[in-house]
Amino acid sequence: MPDRVHFSEPEIGFLKDLFDRGAHRAARSLSLLTDQDVALSVPVVRLATAAAFAEQMAGLTSICGVTQRLHGALETSAMLLFAEEKSLEIVRYMLERLMPYEVLSELHQDAITEVGNIMLNACVGSIAKRLDVVIGVDPPEFCLGPKESFFAFEAEGAGTTYLDVRIDLRMIATSVETVWIFALHEETFHTLKTLMAGRLGSAPVGAELELAGG
Amino acid sequence: MHGPLLDSLGIGIIVLDVGERVIGWNEWVVAMSRIPAATARGQRLDVLFPELDEDSRLIRAVREALTENMASVVNSVFNRSPLPLVNARRGERIPQNIVVRPLEDDANGRVCLIQIFDLSTASQRERALENQVRLRTQAEQALRLSEARLKDAQRLARLGNWLWLPQARSFWWSEQCAATFGAGFDRRPSGLDGFLAFVDPADRAEIAAALERALEVGGSENSLVLEHGIRTAAGERRHVRSVVEVLRDERGAPVSLHGTVQDVTELEHRDAQLRLAARVFETSPDAIIITDARRRILSVNQAFCAVMGYSAAEVAGKRSAMLSSGRHEFGLTSQLWRAVLRVGLWRGELWARRQSGEVFPTWNSLTKVCDGTGRVINYIGIFSDLTETKIAAERIEFLSRYDQLTGLPNRMLLEDYFAVARAAADRGGHRLALMGFDLDNFKQINDTLGHGAGDFVLREVAERLRAGIGAEDTISRHGGDEFLILHAGVSTGAAGRLEVDVLLARLAQPIRLGEHRVSVAASVGISLYPDDGSSFEVLFRKADTAVFEAKRRGRNAAAYFTAAMTDDSIERLVLHADLRQALGRQEFSLHYQPFVDFATGRIVGGEALLRWTNPDHGSVPPGRFIPIAEESGLIVPIGKWVLREVCRQNRQWRAEGGPELCLAVNVSALQLRAEGFVEMVAETLAENRLPPEALEIELTESVLISEADRMMEVVDRLKALGVRLSIDDFGTGYSSLAYLKRLKVDKLKLDRSFVSNITVSEDGGAIVIAILQMAETLRLTTIAEGVETIEQAEFLKAHGCRECQGYLFSRPVPAEQFAILVASERARRARVSRA
């Protein structure tokens, strides 16, 4: 990761606040959708490299996720990743139905796609509103496969930095950690910094954030 | 958005405008919802489907699409059935997967497109999910392929390995290793010696020594990297890179040698090519710039630094756009990048900006470089500085369109301007004038003061004319001392004359050339558009004809073209052609007009006058054919004939016992200038056994003034021969008497115009008296021409004029009559003296 790619503490704080608001909005939508209490929080926002992600997911064999392309003020891809077993668990709880695994598996894709879509739209909506910009979101795509393929799929190369957003999803008796990733090309990165600088009211300077895996 | 296309899709399509009202509702939706399109149009979804409320997922997705530009999926998993759509055949609600997305529509602006897939049909489910399963399949395929790829990789890398166990004296090699040496897998060597046999003889000793060191007990050589040549079983020479690792036991004795052999022949070759490419890159006279896919500068060569003024470090990492001048037509940059992306190459001219800020033209080749997958990884720009080329091209353009000496447009460019001016004249309904200026005495300046002075005068004339014309007028020089003015705001008649006169007056101001001052006069010929023609060519020709006429009228004058001039020109052409034949056809003859001495009344000589009688033209007046003979140079052979004929005649008369007369011939400047003129005169006199005083040469003032030095020399030599010299038409030119004295002329011939004025006005008489007195002072003989009356003769005689010539005594007569005239005059005198 290039050395100059970093966010200051105030910037990270700002981003965390944005995602918190988005998560709050998403939680309300999910609660409405599933007729039960869903809580979302964002404990960590940081920058990470693809290698760092691969390391974190070392214990997982298969992950599933939803990717959506953002365009407009921010050009990037966003991925919401779940460990495959965890995602099945979420769907089961959300549907509040005990059903055979085969049937669940069939519904899994639709459910995760929609849940991911709701979470992402809510967050992007919150970001766009706060930064006063227009960010378009393409329809979601469901992905399932070995963890390596997610980064190969992104194919953005080693130079791309990722914004790593951890999301804690709680409902009824379960708590699932999901990972939200925004691919940040150099340009996107600077756009985001500039937009935030406008909101933070100062030039984007500050203490360097320690990079995960960097 | 509407129509058969939507109906044929086989999925449900609903389109909502920004106010969430239906503007599209296809057949599929009609069938499933049982709501006709006409009913649906203009309605909101929550009106059409009352079970949808503000909080329903679909309505919120629609709102997100329209207001926040976001796409959503809404499906039956959580939402049961998002829309109350019923399959008529089965009579049940259909499970749906709905994609809600914003769309920009030309006619309606932002709209919301709702695509409804029926999940109860397999094909629709597949279509709904086709994107979403792509990844898994790809991943699985990737895994299956990976093993094969590894094998391929080994093969492609040409990397073989071998193992030598010294204690067991066992050697093994891999298939690829065997292939590298061009030997079969089974034909592996039995030991290291066999292996070394493949090493190129030139490298063998060195490699053997290295391996020996590795095999030493307690040796420290545990890792070797060797590059050397090999000879394959087929005898082919190749280059390999070997890495050898030694494993030792606790005593330091080698247990095994593991080696890899990689065929790097191609790599070597490529390295050599790369080195060459790098050298070419650095030494290229063209500037080279290499950027990454985002057009950020990665590398530039020395020529680039020299041309642009930046160091390589200053531009590294910068956007290549920094080099652009910003001077291009709008859209050019995007056009060229599109071309580079589409066809891989763009060539053309661009304006670049140096570090100094100077903008300059460049010739560019832009190419893209792609990796194996076709993705652009670099752009290469090669350009050369066109500044010098541009200057040269502009110079050539200038030279081809402008006169080099004066910087004025040449005739070619004037023609272009004429076309433009003509169009404007047609629109405005006004005239154009083409004025030809021909300098009257330029040749004289050039000959006497040198070409440098001539050039100076031409530039000065150009400047004066340029300063004297209007903004819409164009002046051009088209060779020599001829200028053309294209005049747009034409006045005719007196006003037009005035304009020309103003220009002539400007020219007449003396030009200082060092210690000399010269005046320039011009003859001006004018043709008018559209009166005299419509093409430049015709108008040019007619202006030229008019120039000629102006010169004929006495120079420093202007003449408008008239049809008569054309007739005149044609006549002149015909005369010229016939004049060429006249000598050969013996069509010339000489008439003589006597010179009479006032004091004695004797005929003392006569002037020979040329006559031309042509079968077609009859008798042609000298005023018509002499100028043509002068212009064409025919005057030289004709003049020679005249001289010979006059001398022959004089000889003949003398031989017949006639008086010893002095006969005068007119000699033009061309004749005087002709090589060997003086010698020819001497020869002719000698041939006819005539004394030099039997011949008088009449020169005009203008002849003497032009090329004064040269003429002075010729006149001096004639004088030395002993021939007499007279100045013809004296008083019409500008020669000073002192100058004439220096020339040692013998006689002044007072022009007939003075003579005819003697009795008309007092002034006329006074001028003649002054001339005669001055001539007397300078001891020059005087003869009056054109004496027609007794009064004139008496006046002239009374004031000291020596001789006279004119109708009073005799008109010019043929030789025979002249002889009779002389004889009768002698007889009369004899009678008188006898009496």
Side-chain angles (χ1 to χ4, degrees), chain B residues 424-439:
Chain B
D426 289 344
R427 281 195 303 275
H430 60 257
R431 282 192 169 94
L432 297 177
L434 202 58
M435 305 175 171
F437 277 72
D438 193 306
L439 304 190

Side-chain angles (χ1 to χ4, degrees), chain A residues 25 28-29 32-35 62 68 71 84 91 94-95 97 106-107 109-115 117-118 120-126 128 134-146 149-150 153 155-157 185-187, chain B residues 54-58 60-61 64-65 67-80 82 96-102 110 115 119 125 128-140 142-143 292 294 296 317 319 375:
Chain A
R25 192 175 152 188
R28 266 195 321 183
S29 293
L32 265 171
L33 186 73
T34 58
D35 279 330
S62 183
Q68 283 184 268
H71 52 84
E84 193 181 4
V91 173
M94 282 186 168
L95 293 176
R97 277 180 260 172
E106 205 177 298
L107 297 174
Q109 187 168 320
D110 289 340
I112 284 297
T113 305
E114 192 163 353
V115 167
N117 181 216
I118 287 168
L120 188 88
N121 281 9
C123 269
V124 171
S126 150
V134 176
I135 304 171
V137 179
D138 283 352
E141 282 181 16
F142 178 76
C143 317
L144 178 69
S149 53
F150 278 83
F153 176 75
E156 300 294 354
H185 305 292
E186 209 181 326
E187 275 180 19
Chain B
E54 280 291 301
D55 268 335
S56 67
R57 169 93 176 108
L58 182 63
R60 277 182 290 124
E64 277 182 4
T67 60
E68 298 185 69
N69 204 20
M70 288 181 189
S72 301
V73 292
V74 181
N75 58 47
S76 298
V77 175
F78 296 108
N79 306 276
R80 308 297 181 265
Q96 302 144 35
N97 179 295
I98 299 179
V99 178
V100 181
R101 60 170 92 207
R110 168 83 53 82
Q115 299 165 301
L119 297 187
R125 176 158 189 93
L129 305 180
E130 61 186 0
N131 288 333
Q132 302 167 13
V133 294
R134 201 186 299 144
L135 179 65
R136 177 168 226 165
T137 319
Q138 277 177 347
E140 283 165 359
L143 275 174
D292 63 12
R294 293 174 181 209
R296 284 180 198 280
R319 289 183 160 275
R375 199 170 60 145

